[in-house]
Amino acid sequence: MTVNDILKVNDFKSVVLSDGDREVSGVYIGDLLSWVMGKANSGDAWITIMSNVNILAVASLTDCACIILSEGVTLSDEIIATAKEKGINVLSFAKSSFDAAICLNAII
Amino acid sequence: MPEALSFKFDVDGEDFTCAGQASVIVKKNLRQLGLPPEIIRRVSIAMYEGEINMVIHAGGGKAEVNVYEDCIEIVLIDNGPGIKDIEQAMQEGFSTATDTIRSLGFGAGMGLPNMKRYTDYMDIKSQVGVGTTITMKVNLT
């Protein structure tokens, strides 16, 4: 499954698509950034409600395939620009992290 | 033996949103050296946690990454308040971070445990009121 495949599911929207062909090998859900750093695997789709700039560093360092912002959380223009610059994929999802995980489970 | 390749950084303690910049640069540099992705991941995560700690607790500091033939060494030096009880600080979930820091997603009490988890060697030298020096190593062989 790639990031583009996730975007084929209607409920997921693209916020920053830097590398749609990036392979997604798993899913991690978490909002405590250090926890995510300790547990998320390279290639994971990371579902979170956090929207501050530090999520970009966490995504980059853990090498996750994409960030999925659940609960309709949005990013500031400045953070979107930084995500583009760093080549990070960011998607959004209107419903809860649980609902996002269910959708991903169906296609992974 | 060839001289170690060394990267040095000043970690700005004022700007929390910039925290992690040094780690991202290190990640890029190590990638250019062609090191295995898992090694790069471990080094950059351990360093990021250290960087965040220096910003949250110590008002910044200095970070140095040395690439040796058999390991990568990360040295983090700050002149912050020091760690009163290192054993307690090493426990998962223990944190002295403020609510503001927590609202940004940090302060879960996972920083030092993650640094230990992702490295093969970790040494903390700390003196209350003087500062903290952390040395970590990730083996390449």
Side-chain angles (χ1 to χ4, degrees), chain A residues 33-34 37-38 40 52 60 62, chain B residues 27 41 48-49 104-105 114 118:
Chain A
L33 302 188
S34 286
M37 299 254 277
N52 66 71
S60 163
T62 56
Chain B
K27 186 182 174 182
R41 194 175 119 91
Y48 181 65
E49 292 285 11
L104 289 168
N114 273 351
Y118 281 118

Side-chain angles (χ1 to χ4, degrees), chain A residues 5-16:
Chain A
D5 292 331
I6 297 178
L7 284 167
K8 285 178 193 154
V9 181
N10 277 338
D11 296 331
F12 293 95
K13 306 274 178 255
S14 163
V15 179
V16 177

Side-chain angles (χ1 to χ4, degrees), chain B residues 49-50 53-54 57-58 76 78-91 94-96 111-113 115 122-135:
Chain B
E49 292 285 11
N53 276 349
M54 286 200 281
H57 300 289
L76 307 165
D78 71 60
N79 299 311
I83 303 168
K84 212 184 289 172
D85 184 339
I86 292 175
E87 206 180 315
Q88 189 180 34
M90 284 303 298
Q91 285 171 18
F94 178 82
S95 175
T96 57
L112 289 172
M115 287 155 75
M122 177 169 161
D123 173 64
I124 306 177
K125 289 200 170 37
S126 191
Q127 204 177 337
V128 173
V130 179
T132 301
T133 296
I134 296 183
T135 306

Side-chain angles (χ1 to χ4, degrees), chain B residues 2-32:
Chain B
E3 214 173 290
L5 193 58
S6 190
F7 309 113
K8 292 187 173 106
F9 305 92
D10 283 316
V11 178
D12 185 355
E14 300 296 310
D15 192 353
F16 192 73
T17 56
C18 285
Q21 276 182 346
S23 314
V24 172
I25 294 169
V26 164
K27 186 182 174 182
K28 202 192 279 175
N29 290 349
L30 296 181
R31 198 182 273 164
Q32 278 168 359

